[in-house]
Amino acid sequence: MERAVPPTVPLGQMEVFQALQRLHMTIFSQCFSPCGKFLAAGNNYGQIAIFRHSLPSACSLSAALSSEAKEESKKPIVTFQAHDGPVYSMVSTDRHLFSAGDGEVKAWLWAEILKKGCKELWCRQPPYRTSLEVPEINALLLVPKENSLILAGGDCQLHTMDLETGTFTRALRGHTDYIHCLALRDRNPEVLSGGEDGTVRLWDLRMAKEVQTIEVYKHEECSRPHNGRWIGCLATDSDWMVCGGGPALTLWHLRSSTPTTIFPMWAPQKHVTFYQDLILSAGQGPCVNQWQLSGELKAQVPGSSPGLLSLSLNQQPAAPECKVLTAAGNSCRVDVFTNLGYRAFSLSF
């Protein structure tokens, strides 16, 4: 379903309207289904598109990847209006897809989501300070050990929702400006958050309090005042963290709060993740960057969008040797990379 167009609009004008929509589209978020066969992508118009993602074909370079592949196979099988404003973030469990927009988070059943006219299972709004406050929810994070969902964004707080009861159980306060990103330390019940205030904060979920603050922009080797102090992306792996944004993309040792590697990337980065012995990042510019932990740039793989906002690794490949990465941002396309080495094709809203 496309965003509402008056029923009296002639067909030709509707096609122009939809073409203009695609021209000005931004894809903020994406998420694979638990089976790995479907990819959900959320855009600035509040739409979620579901693509059938033929990963086995991607590995064997069959129909979906071939130059003869029909354009229709690269279009969504379902598109629905999920939010009135942008879909900033999405995460998935075995049964549910969660999506976040302005001031709300919604749950959708994967079993029902492929049906046209899909309706949300529920919609929740965190307890904001005033009824007039409708801040964007920039980040969602699942905490499997406590069966909870953490939301963060424009009100500078981390809200925890119990997925069993649907109630909000705590709000963590400390950031002085809005929050862009979240990451979970799996072995510890701890969450990292990065925000516009230039800090990365570590939260102990058992004690429900902040236990560590890193003011990234105050470290001379990381600081880039011309880009600002904001932290736009972060990821963690045990005692290590990588973060970037206004400051340089940097690898940190968390226990000592020490920056150990500064990655030589001039453009601000919007998404980062650990992958095996590499760090993958993307942001301003069309490339997915592959970094050695030492700071060496292993590869830059170009995509079709002028800027990238999200990366998603398929965690359920049909064959273990098949690694598929998707990247999306400032266009209506989702680039699909096979074996991380090249862009095989692009899906399109």
Side-chain angles (χ1 to χ4, degrees):
M1 179 178 88
E2 299 287 350
R3 181 169 282 274
V5 178
T8 56
V9 173
L11 180 60
Q13 290 186 26
M14 186 179 296
E15 290 174 349
V16 170
F17 174 85
Q18 292 172 352
L20 286 171
Q21 265 199 329
R22 288 191 289 272
L23 181 64
H24 297 286
M25 188 176 292
T26 297
I27 299 175
F28 283 106
S29 55
Q30 43 175 329
C31 182
F32 281 100
S33 65
C35 66
K37 294 180 180 178
F38 301 99
L39 175 72
N43 68 17
N44 55 321
Y45 301 118
Q47 300 165 333
I48 293 177
I50 307 297
F51 298 93
R52 190 186 302 277
H53 212 38
S54 303
L55 299 182
S57 297
C59 297
S60 60
L61 297 178
S62 62
L65 286 179
S66 70
S67 58
E68 295 81 17
K70 294 181 180 178
E71 284 305 307
E72 277 305 304
S73 68
K74 299 169 186 176
K75 293 288 187 182
I77 56 174
V78 175
T79 304
F80 60 93
Q81 195 70 39
H83 298 271
D84 291 334
V87 184
Y88 295 111
S89 183
M90 291 189 291
V91 293
S92 176
T93 65
D94 287 344
R95 297 184 61 236
H96 300 104
L97 173 69
F98 300 103
S99 63
D102 287 322
E104 64 183 16
V105 60
K106 293 185 177 182
W108 315 83
L109 278 171
W110 275 111
E112 301 292 328
I113 210 168
L114 301 178
K115 299 179 182 177
K116 301 212 171 184
C118 174
K119 294 184 182 294
E120 73 263 20
L121 185 64
W122 49 253
C123 176
R124 298 282 188 275
Q125 295 182 331
Y128 295 124
R129 287 180 286 251
T130 71
S131 58
L132 297 177
E133 191 176 23
V134 189
E136 72 273 16
I137 298 174
N138 293 321
L140 296 176
L141 180 69
L142 289 164
V143 186
K145 287 183 179 178
E146 60 175 37
N147 193 29
S148 66
L149 178 68
I150 296 180
L151 302 67
D155 73 337
C156 315
Q157 302 179 67
L158 285 75
H159 298 275
T160 301
M161 188 179 74
D162 186 321
L163 289 175
E164 187 73 30
T165 63
T167 58
F168 288 93
T169 58
R170 61 178 169 241
L172 302 175
R173 300 176 181 89
H175 282 280
T176 58
D177 210 334
Y178 55 87
I179 299 167
H180 287 295
C181 46
L182 298 170
L184 178 67
R185 295 185 77 188
D186 283 328
R187 289 188 295 180
N188 308 308
E190 294 177 339
V191 170
L192 288 158
S193 59
E196 192 72 12
D197 60 7
T199 67
V200 172
R201 298 171 189 261
L202 180 64
W203 309 86
D204 188 309
L205 297 182
R206 292 169 298 185
M207 297 187 290
K209 72 174 188 178
E210 181 183 335
V211 293
Q212 186 178 357
T213 303
I214 299 175
E215 295 177 298
V216 178
Y217 64 97
K218 289 188 176 180
H219 290 255
E220 186 177 354
E221 59 267 57
C222 307
S223 178
R224 297 188 301 186
H226 57 283
N227 284 337
R229 61 174 61 177
W230 55 279
I231 301 299
C233 61
L234 63 84
T236 182
D237 185 358
S238 186
D239 288 331
W240 299 92
M241 173 192 73
V242 61
C243 68
L249 188 70
T250 306
L251 181 67
W252 293 75
H253 184 247
L254 281 173
R255 287 190 183 179
S256 61
S257 297
T258 304
T260 61
T261 305
I262 311 296
F263 298 95
M265 171 58 62
W266 183 257
Q269 298 298 278
K270 304 291 185 68
H271 194 109
V272 67
T273 187
F274 286 93
Y275 176 68
Q276 295 181 352
D277 59 348
L278 296 174
I279 289 173
L280 308 179
S281 76
Q284 289 185 8
C287 293
V288 176
N289 308 298
Q290 300 179 22
W291 302 97
Q292 304 280 6
L293 298 180
S294 62
E296 179 186 350
L297 182 61
K298 180 181 178 182
Q300 282 188 306
V301 187
S304 63
S305 297
L308 296 173
L309 298 174
S310 71
L311 303 175
S312 186
L313 278 161
N314 182 24
Q315 302 298 325
Q316 304 288 341
E321 69 277 6
C322 175
K323 306 298 181 187
V324 176
L325 172 76
T326 56
N330 300 119
S331 79
C332 64
R333 295 177 294 278
V334 179
D335 292 330
V336 180
F337 299 83
T338 57
N339 299 317
L340 304 186
Y342 67 99
R343 179 176 68 91
F345 63 99
S346 295
L347 306 168
S348 180
F349 260 86

